[in-house]
Amino acid sequence: MSFVPGLTLARRFHDEVVGPLLARRLPGLRYAAGLLDGGSELLGLDTPRSTDHDWGPRTQVFVDSAHDVAPVRAALDADLPARFLGWPTRYAGGPAVRLGTVHADGDRHGVSVDELGAWLRDRLGADPRAGMSVADWLATPTQRLAELTGGAVFHDGLDGALTAARAALAWYPDDVWRHVLASGWQRVAQAEHLAGRCAEVGDELGSRVVAAGLARDLMRLGLLLRRRWPPYAKWLGTVFATLPGAAPVVDGLAAALGPGEWAVREPGLVRALETVAGWTNDVALAPPVDPAARPFHGRPFLVLDAGRFVEALRAAITDPRLRDRPPIGAVDQYVDSVDVLTHPDRARRVAAAVVRPPGAA
């Protein structure tokens, strides 16, 4: 079997198999279909390596009534072919998070069926068609937003409901965007002087560890400044490198993490800091701030003094309640646990607890 990109395979699977099957078995059924639930294929980054597990012809079917779920599942269970374009449509083994029906014999096929609102609430913790509050935005990891706005819609027979949900998640409102950017720069401000200090006492490994953390934060900031939802760690560097003007940052961070002592690596980190600082000025969400690096007090290493960007962005927030929040940001800016970020109920509880006033129940 020759490799077919997952989104291409999924679209053809819907158009040539799933759609005609539903039209034949359940004429008049109102449904939407697409692929929005996770996987490298949603970002167009799958390769032949991706096919070694939980990969094959897949489609998600969404209906607007829970009463329609069972008959759609029954039709698919009964009539899906065994293979499509040479790829098996059923997968041996236990259940996978993103795949569909699990059969008594342990096989499962790659078509899930859900009521749209319930699926959105399960995936995000909220239904974006009703509007996203500040709390909703800040409790939603950007990986989930990348998935929901990536992927593809193959059919939207629910009066455009699936398309509307994706449109509602296109990007942050400006004040939330300012807050998240300020929070990203706050993380930089708290660590940007530490790489030089570690090296100064002979801890070159510690210096690189700090520089790697700064690299991650700068790549996430860069993606946010270019209006791209940052993906999780596997694809962060790959997606960042596709941004317009990313080369100086990529080269700078590679130098900062490369061989040699800190004196050799520092110019790369400075170049990356100054470039992303310039992008921050370019989006014009706050008055411009001088993007040039400067000494950290009297010490022999340079920093951006990123707190200046934090202050400028926070001052430009028009919502007083959001402006008064500490620059902590969205949940995946301060939580790095997959077991939290992939469970919306946990992520939302953590996000609510972080801003709960002291002594509140």
Side-chain angles (χ1 to χ4, degrees):
M1 293 176 292
S2 60
F3 175 71
V4 179
L7 276 182
T8 300
L9 182 64
R11 185 180 293 277
R12 289 193 59 182
F13 187 47
H14 170 266
D15 292 351
E16 298 175 31
V17 175
V18 175
L21 185 161
L22 294 177
R24 182 177 68 254
R25 289 287 302 266
L26 299 167
L29 175 72
R30 286 165 40 87
Y31 78 96
L35 201 61
L36 312 168
D37 62 344
S40 301
E41 59 266 47
L42 269 66
L43 301 179
L45 296 174
D46 53 327
T47 68
R49 175 69 70 195
S50 307
T51 64
D52 63 2
H53 70 288
D54 293 342
W55 195 97
R58 300 201 297 120
T59 295
Q60 292 175 271
V61 172
F62 301 103
V63 293
D64 59 4
S65 170
H67 296 294
D68 291 328
V69 171
V72 173
R73 286 178 177 167
L76 292 166
D77 288 351
D79 282 8
L80 278 178
R83 305 184 76 84
F84 177 69
L85 298 183
W87 294 94
T89 63
R90 299 177 188 269
Y91 310 85
V97 171
R98 68 183 185 185
L99 293 176
T101 300
V102 181
H103 295 269
D105 61 2
D107 290 346
R108 62 194 190 273
H109 63 66
V111 185
S112 61
V113 185
D114 295 280
E115 188 269 313
L116 177 59
W119 184 84
L120 289 167
R121 289 187 293 273
D122 180 68
R123 198 73 181 167
L124 298 172
D127 187 335
R129 296 172 297 170
M132 292 281 285
S133 68
V134 169
D136 291 332
W137 282 115
L138 296 182
T140 304
T142 54
Q143 170 66 22
R144 282 289 163 91
L145 295 168
E147 292 166 355
L148 265 292
T149 57
V153 174
F154 310 142
H155 173 73
D156 197 350
L158 299 179
D159 299 325
L162 181 56
T163 302
R166 281 160 52 93
L169 299 171
W171 198 246
Y172 289 132
D174 280 356
D175 268 356
V176 177
W177 192 11
R178 290 182 179 101
H179 175 73
V180 170
L181 291 173
S183 302
W185 279 119
Q186 178 81 339
R187 289 177 56 89
V188 173
Q190 292 166 346
E192 59 181 336
H193 60 291
L194 300 179
R197 180 59 174 152
C198 289
E200 191 177 47
V201 298
D203 183 8
E204 290 290 347
L205 175 60
S207 175
R208 285 182 174 82
V209 170
V210 173
L214 288 166
R216 177 182 182 274
D217 287 333
L218 285 172
M219 286 192 290
R220 286 181 58 88
L221 274 167
L223 285 158
L224 290 166
L225 288 161
R226 293 294 198 244
R227 297 175 66 95
R228 291 285 302 273
W229 297 120
Y232 72 128
K234 178 168 66 170
W235 298 124
L236 181 62
T238 302
V239 176
F240 179 85
T242 67
L243 296 178
V249 184
V250 172
D251 293 345
L253 293 176
L257 297 171
E261 298 181 347
W262 176 242
V264 175
R265 295 184 288 112
E266 181 187 46
L269 181 59
V270 169
R271 185 161 65 252
L273 285 164
E274 291 182 338
T275 301
V276 179
W279 293 0
T280 306
N281 288 336
D282 291 343
V283 297
L285 290 170
V289 176
D290 181 3
R294 67 274 325 271
F296 182 71
H297 299 292
R299 299 181 184 185
F301 35 85
L302 297 174
V303 296
L304 181 66
D305 191 9
R308 299 174 299 127
F309 289 86
V310 178
E311 294 171 2
L313 286 160
R314 293 185 72 195
I317 295 172
T318 60
D319 179 348
R321 292 173 298 178
L322 187 54
R323 186 173 58 241
D324 291 342
R325 283 194 185 208
I328 297 172
V331 64
D332 53 353
Q333 291 182 285
Y334 54 87
V335 174
D336 195 29
S337 167
V338 173
D339 290 317
V340 173
L341 297 179
T342 57
H343 292 79
D345 57 333
R346 297 174 186 170
R348 292 170 79 85
R349 288 200 302 271
V350 170
V354 164
V355 297
R356 184 178 297 132

